[in-house]
Amino acid sequence: MSSPQRQKGSPCCARWAASLRRHPRFGWHRDNWLGRRRQVNTWADDGFEFFARHRLLRWLGERNVREALGPADRAALERMCALLPELLPAGPACLTHGDLWAQNVMAGPDGCPALIDPAVSYTWAEVDLAHLWTTAPPPEAHVFFEVYAELTGLDRDWRARMPILQLRQHLAVIAQFSPDWGAADLVRATLAPFRRLS
C-alpha cells in the first residue's frame, strides 16, 4: 500500500477489526495453516487453555524451536502459560485473521484494505492487534491503533501485553525460517521473568 492508501486504509481496517463477530467458543471448525505448519483449531471453552496449548506450547515439538530454545527457555514458556490468567485479561472469542501483519494488508480498488493469507480462528482479538503492533507497522498505523482503541475501549495497558501475545508468531518464525530474524532473542527476552534462578 502506498502512503496515501495507508492513510485512508488504516481507519477502515481499524473499524473492521473492532467489529469482528464473536463466538461462544475458541477455535475453528477445521484446522488450517500458518505458513507451512498446521494450525490446530480444536474447539475450547477456555481462551487461556486454547492459547497456551494451540498457539504457544504446540511449537515446542518443532526441531528448529528445540534447537533455538534450551530447556530453561522451554520450562519458562510452560511456566508462563500456567500463569496466563494472571497476565492477560479474559476476553471473548472473536473472528481473527491470525496472520495480520503489514505485508498481508493490501489496498482494494476503493483504497480500503483487503486482507490476504489468513490463518483464521476464533480467539482473542488482541492476538491480531499484537501481530500488527510488533511487526514494523508503517508510520500511518498509529491511526489504526487510535481508532481501534476508541471503538473498543481498549485499556491503556494494552501495549504491555503485546510481547506475550506475540510469542506465538515468534515461535512460528523460529519453526519455519533460518535465520529466524532475531525471533529467538525476542522469545527469550519475553520469557526472562519466568525463568527460575538456579
Side-chain angles (χ1 to χ4, degrees):
M1 293 177 79
S2 67
S3 184
Q5 288 172 324
R6 286 194 294 257
Q7 288 173 353
K8 179 179 180 181
S10 289
C12 292
C13 194
R15 285 191 287 273
W16 166 81
S19 67
L20 288 176
R21 62 181 178 159
R22 295 182 178 187
H23 194 276
R25 303 184 78 197
F26 294 81
W28 192 243
H29 63 276
R30 61 181 170 84
D31 292 349
N32 48 31
W33 299 90
L34 179 62
R36 296 169 291 181
R37 296 295 189 275
R38 179 176 296 280
Q39 176 170 271
V40 175
N41 292 316
T42 304
W43 291 110
D45 295 319
D46 185 299
F48 299 108
E49 177 188 351
F50 178 81
F51 189 71
R53 179 181 296 179
H54 298 307
R55 297 299 182 260
L56 297 180
L57 297 174
R58 63 84 64 227
W59 296 106
L60 293 183
E62 295 281 345
R63 181 177 58 84
N64 286 357
V65 174
R66 289 196 311 270
E67 292 174 358
L69 303 179
D73 300 316
R74 296 193 295 272
L77 179 62
E78 292 170 350
R79 201 169 297 118
M80 189 209 72
C81 284
L83 295 172
L84 283 178
E86 299 172 32
L87 301 169
L88 301 173
C94 297
L95 182 62
T96 56
H97 178 280
D99 197 10
L100 188 62
W101 66 300
Q103 297 302 315
N104 282 344
V105 182
M106 304 298 206
D110 59 357
C112 280
L115 306 182
I116 63 169
D117 197 20
V120 174
S121 70
Y122 286 102
T123 188
W124 298 317
E126 286 190 10
V127 171
D128 273 350
L129 195 66
H131 198 179
L132 194 59
W133 175 256
T134 55
T135 49
E140 298 84 0
H142 72 89
V143 176
F144 170 92
F145 295 106
E146 290 169 2
V147 172
Y148 183 89
E150 180 181 336
L151 292 172
T152 62
L154 193 63
D155 65 88
R156 65 181 61 190
D157 296 327
W158 69 271
R159 289 177 184 84
R161 298 191 290 271
M162 296 298 101
I164 291 174
L165 293 169
Q166 184 61 3
L167 280 172
R168 174 258 194 165
Q169 197 62 25
H170 294 323
L171 291 164
V173 167
I174 296 168
Q176 300 182 71
F177 299 102
S178 182
D180 66 21
W181 302 297
D185 291 335
L186 292 168
V187 169
R188 281 190 284 270
T190 301
L191 294 178
F194 306 98
R195 281 173 164 267
R196 284 201 175 127
L197 299 176
S198 53

